[in-house]
Amino acid sequence: MTNQRRDFIKKTTLASAALAATPSFGFHILKKPKLEEPIIGHGAYQYKVIHNWAQMGTSMPLLNCHEMMMDSKGRLIMIGDHPSNNVLIFDKSGKLLDYWGTSYPGGHGLTISAEGGEDFLFLTDSGWFLDKTGKWVAHNGRVSKTTIDGRVLFDIGHPQTIGIYKPGDPYRPTEVAIGPNGDIYVADGYGMDYIIQYNAQGEYVRHWGGKENEDSNYDISNAHGVAIDYRDKDNPQVVCTSRNEQCFKFFTLEGKFIRTLQLPNMQVCRPVFDDQNLYAGVCWSQPKVGKTNWKDHTGFVTILEGDKVVSNPGGTAPDYVNGKLQKSYQLESKPILHGHDVCVDEDKNLYICQWNANRTPPLKLERV
């Protein structure tokens, strides 16, 4: 299968009859217009938008590009939710090297864990997928640890099987983070909004979050992302997205609340750490006037030095009044539709995965 796939990728043209016979799931072959490459961002963090970075041709259908990370070989590995290709692998020039997977129809979260000089993937199926009729269908989510080429090592089962969920409780995980000792932190962002901690073998340790806690600091509303903050090497912390509250919440590795970082008008996805910076896709924001719904294109990207927002590529410049961050908004030109994830390379270029972006591949933001 691998050789067949790679031979398929190398083809530069396909017969029109073969294209017509390929299931489209709403995908249409369109002539790409020539796009301008605007400069977006602020201060020391400005970028040229490279729309056609991903060299996929017209034969590779996409739905949503959800998350991307760089492996130890410098390859960019992305997860999406098209039924024909859950995982896409690019080099930094945008060349598609490989693709695989049909077992994650709700492909959403991708985390790379380096263990003993080898890369492993933690793949998260959110439990939502788009069927052939164009309707969103819910199923039980899935978390898998796999080799870099997709061989499943183990799955983490539904939390009902270990007694922490009641029958009927939805389990729709969106993200995984790996702690310094190998512990696995699962964010049930579309289900019960818990952060569930397992050991490296997938055995349950504890959970926290959810709703209606005695201490509201532990409440999480749309626990969309989770990551480990190693910026203080002596004090790593679990950082959870509470997207509906427009904030990140910081916890100890044992789930004790530390603090909340508010990001007004930014419905952020997972936190991505690079050096002392925090990057995040902003999936939605509200305009200055009027309201939007969840399908409207209102996103951008935000960049923080420490706890301070210093740039909003695709959005308005960050504004602090008496030390308090004011609301940020998407630019009218909409260079980024929905910021769902950010991947940072060694040259500090950014690769942006977008949800609900008209079936477009990831963008590259080239640092200027």
Side-chain angles (χ1 to χ4, degrees):
M1 285 297 295
T2 301
N3 290 335
Q4 291 176 343
R5 288 198 302 268
R6 288 174 179 166
D7 290 343
F8 177 73
I9 294 168
K10 291 177 182 178
K11 292 181 181 179
T12 57
T13 60
L14 287 174
S16 59
L19 284 173
T22 302
S24 67
F25 297 93
F27 177 78
H28 301 286
I29 306 302
L30 300 174
K31 184 177 180 180
K32 291 184 179 180
K34 186 175 181 179
L35 300 172
E36 295 183 0
E37 297 179 347
I39 304 297
I40 59 176
H42 308 95
Y45 300 89
Q46 298 188 46
Y47 305 86
K48 179 189 295 185
V49 181
I50 311 297
H51 289 92
N52 296 323
W53 165 76
Q55 302 160 32
M56 298 178 61
T58 57
S59 60
M60 177 61 65
L62 287 174
L63 286 176
N64 299 291
C65 301
H66 277 134
E67 292 193 343
M68 176 181 280
M69 290 189 74
M70 182 177 289
D71 71 4
S72 61
K73 297 180 179 179
R75 302 179 303 174
L76 296 157
I77 303 179
M78 190 209 89
I79 192 166
D81 56 3
H82 195 280
S84 297
N85 52 77
N86 299 149
V87 173
L88 306 178
I89 302 176
F90 300 89
D91 66 17
K92 286 190 295 182
S93 75
K95 180 182 178 182
L96 183 62
L97 302 175
D98 202 357
Y99 64 95
W100 53 261
T102 58
S103 300
Y104 305 90
H108 189 279
L110 183 147
T111 297
I112 297 177
S113 174
E115 303 172 22
E118 185 176 357
D119 289 338
F120 295 92
L121 302 179
F122 284 85
L123 303 177
T124 306
D125 184 317
S126 70
W128 286 100
F129 71 96
L130 198 65
D131 70 11
K132 294 180 181 180
T133 69
K135 294 181 179 179
W136 287 99
V137 178
H139 63 286
N140 284 329
R142 179 183 182 187
V143 174
S144 301
K145 181 179 181 179
T146 78
T147 58
I148 206 74
D149 59 356
R151 180 171 58 87
V152 175
L153 301 176
F154 63 79
D155 278 2
I156 294 177
H158 193 296
Q160 183 182 328
T161 63
I162 53 175
I164 64 174
Y165 280 30
K166 302 186 298 293
D169 284 347
Y171 176 57
R172 300 190 181 112
T174 48
E175 186 64 81
V176 166
I178 307 302
N181 65 346
D183 278 5
I184 303 163
Y185 297 83
V186 176
D188 187 12
Y190 292 158
M192 298 295 289
D193 283 326
Y194 288 124
I195 305 299
I196 310 172
Q197 182 179 355
Y198 302 86
N199 66 19
Q201 290 73 46
E203 300 166 330
Y204 171 73
V205 177
R206 64 174 63 87
H207 69 284
W208 70 90
K211 297 179 173 64
E212 299 181 357
N213 292 285
E214 288 186 12
D215 183 348
S216 62
N217 286 315
Y218 287 87
D219 290 348
I220 302 177
S221 182
N222 190 194
H224 189 270
V226 62
I228 308 298
D229 182 358
Y230 289 104
R231 290 178 294 181
D232 180 351
K233 294 180 180 179
D234 297 325
N235 184 33
Q237 299 175 10
V238 181
V239 186
C240 308
T241 304
S242 187
R243 192 162 70 176
N244 292 340
E245 294 183 291
Q246 303 164 22
C247 70
F248 292 120
K249 294 191 174 184
F250 291 69
F251 299 86
T252 68
L253 297 176
E254 296 73 36
K256 300 298 183 183
F257 175 77
I258 300 172
R259 64 191 179 94
T260 296
L261 175 59
Q262 290 291 159
L263 295 166
N265 203 37
M266 301 187 204
Q267 289 194 259
V268 285
C269 296
R270 73 166 163 182
V272 175
F273 296 98
D274 181 74
D275 295 331
Q276 292 299 305
N277 291 357
L278 188 162
Y279 299 77
V282 177
C283 204
W284 294 287
S285 61
Q286 289 293 335
K288 291 182 180 180
V289 179
K291 295 289 183 179
T292 62
N293 66 49
W294 63 277
K295 292 184 179 180
D296 290 334
H297 302 308
T298 59
F300 53 97
V301 169
T302 191
I303 304 172
L304 292 78
E305 290 183 347
D307 286 349
K308 184 177 181 181
V309 178
V310 293
S311 182
N312 287 323
T316 56
D319 180 27
Y320 283 83
V321 177
N322 297 324
K324 185 176 181 180
L325 179 63
Q326 305 301 296
K327 290 183 177 180
S328 300
Y329 302 92
Q330 185 192 53
L331 296 177
E332 291 184 5
S333 58
K334 298 182 182 294
I336 295 173
L337 302 181
H338 293 269
H340 197 275
D341 194 35
V342 180
C343 180
V344 188
D345 71 18
E346 65 272 24
D347 297 318
K348 310 306 180 185
N349 302 310
L350 310 183
Y351 304 84
I352 310 302
C353 290
Q354 299 192 87
W355 170 83
N356 189 30
N358 301 322
R359 303 170 188 265
T360 56
L363 299 174
K364 180 177 180 179
L365 302 189
E366 188 175 273
R367 187 90 175 255
V368 298

